Amino acid sequence: EGDDLHGLPMYTSLSHADGVAAFALCGLGPVGIDIEASFRAAELPGIAESVCHPCEIESLANFAEPMRSRALLALWVRKEALLKAEGVGLAREMCSFRAAAGAEFFLVGGTREIPAACSVRLAMLDVGERWTAAVAAPREAAVECLQLHPSDAPPAGRSIDGRSLYVS
């Protein structure tokens, strides 16, 4: 959603799963993020047809388990990140579009979440083996993944490594 930070539009997205949270912030346009626990991959094969575009089902057929389930989970987080960037959530059926890592998508705009047409690209995030995460961000945006742990938290109002990330 578009909020203002010192008069500049800021777009945010939040995802949480099994005790962790992922947060995306972007000043260039709509952003969407999703994170899921990697163990969830085992739960997804039964819903592959509702997640996958027909071309994606064909691609997944080339993988043996457990790689097929892991690829399906990666596809899920990419699609959910894109749907969040569009501002429609799960109102659009995942099987109606393809979502390859690195692919660009045109968002039409004209809504509160997307005031003007723009493009976003999908990127997988390196969040370790226990989690699978993706972000959809404007193609001009530099995507940086910063992982915080409770023991890393600085005193309120301090930045981490000179970045403008504040913990309160």
Side-chain angles (χ1 to χ4, degrees):
E1 64 190 49
D3 293 314
D4 284 1
L5 180 65
H6 303 292
L8 300 173
M10 283 289 138
Y11 297 84
T12 61
S13 182
L14 175 68
S15 180
H16 57 87
D18 298 300
V20 299
F23 179 76
L25 173 71
C26 185
L28 297 176
V31 64
I33 194 164
D34 191 45
I35 189 166
E36 296 292 341
S38 294
F39 74 81
R40 292 219 38 233
E43 302 168 7
L44 294 179
I47 62 167
E49 290 190 12
S50 62
V51 174
C52 298
H53 184 274
C55 296
E56 293 166 334
I57 289 178
E58 289 178 28
S59 295
L60 287 175
N62 296 324
F63 292 103
E65 286 299 343
M67 292 305 296
R68 180 181 305 135
S69 294
R70 290 181 190 150
L72 183 56
L73 181 61
L75 182 61
W76 173 281
V77 296
R78 287 194 306 270
K79 287 188 174 199
E80 192 161 331
L82 180 60
L83 292 170
K84 288 179 178 183
E86 282 185 311
V88 298
L90 295 175
R92 179 176 173 197
E93 293 186 25
M94 287 185 171
C95 63
S96 68
F97 62 97
R98 292 182 276 182
E104 288 189 26
F105 296 87
F106 185 73
L107 306 180
V108 177
T111 66
R112 179 180 174 275
E113 291 84 9
I114 309 170
C118 65
S119 291
V120 296
R121 65 183 158 87
L122 287 170
M124 295 301 297
L125 299 174
D126 182 7
V127 292
E129 292 181 21
R130 293 182 55 212
W131 307 100
T132 302
V135 65
R139 62 179 177 205
E140 309 84 28
V143 174
E144 181 179 359
C145 184
L146 177 64
Q147 296 182 35
L148 300 176
H149 304 277
S151 61
D152 296 338
R158 298 258 176 112
S159 65
I160 296 173
D161 295 335
R163 297 180 177 101
S164 56
L165 176 66
Y166 292 91
V167 178
S168 59

